[in-house]
Amino acid sequence: MTNTHPTGAVLRPSEIKPRERGGGARTVPLVTRRIGSTSLINGITAFEGGASIPIHTHNCEESVMVLEGHAIANFDGVEHHLGPQETTWIAANVPHNFRNASATEPMKIFWTYASVDATRTIVATGDTRTIDAEHDAK
């Protein structure tokens, strides 16, 4: 539902159906154009033990904070180990991915894209999709 005159929103992740990302990752979209945002989108992605997402790029800047567990972030081939509250910034078009550092414990990240028109391009396949399309897919 699009709000034509947005003033604000309260979002409760426990009330939003997660979208399966594949490979043991699920995303809860939070701030999106659907609620009236015109300049950013964000959400939470939970990773099962050992889960990761493929190396990809975005057409805009991204920031990711680890909420729980431990992550390994790969930016342009360099790995960074991250714990709770540690935060990243990734420039547009930089190949990167996040994976759960634990084979058994869950990991959760909070991400923000600097554009409501953010896209994800999977490096291995060249497949490009809007982040909005990923959220509305299921």
Side-chain angles (χ1 to χ4, degrees):
M1 168 189 267
T2 300
N3 185 349
T4 57
H5 300 288
T7 58
V10 174
L11 305 160
R12 295 181 170 89
S14 63
E15 297 174 3
I16 300 170
K17 182 180 177 187
R19 283 27 175 223
E20 292 296 327
R21 298 274 303 277
R26 257 146 282 61
T27 292
V28 173
L30 296 170
V31 173
T32 64
R33 76 174 79 231
R34 183 172 283 197
I35 65 162
S37 180
T38 60
S39 60
L40 68 91
I41 58 177
N42 65 31
I44 297 170
T45 300
F47 293 73
E48 296 173 2
S52 66
I53 52 177
I55 295 175
H56 58 279
T57 62
H58 300 290
N59 62 337
C60 63
E61 296 175 11
E62 178 184 22
S63 180
V64 173
M65 176 189 284
V66 176
L67 296 176
E68 65 182 55
H70 290 84
I72 299 172
N74 175 339
F75 308 156
D76 210 15
V78 179
E79 289 191 348
H80 306 272
H81 292 259
L82 305 167
Q85 299 184 6
E86 293 182 326
T87 302
T88 65
W89 169 79
I90 307 156
N93 302 310
V94 171
H96 66 280
N97 77 331
F98 289 82
R99 72 179 188 268
N100 189 340
S102 171
T104 57
E105 298 297 317
M107 183 265 289
K108 194 178 287 186
I109 60 173
F110 174 79
W111 47 264
T112 300
Y113 296 109
S115 172
V116 292
D117 297 314
T119 62
R120 178 187 330 280
T121 300
I122 304 299
V123 171
T125 64
D127 180 42
T128 300
R129 297 182 186 188
T130 65
I131 302 300
D132 276 354
E134 291 177 356
H135 297 166
D136 291 336
K138 298 197 179 354

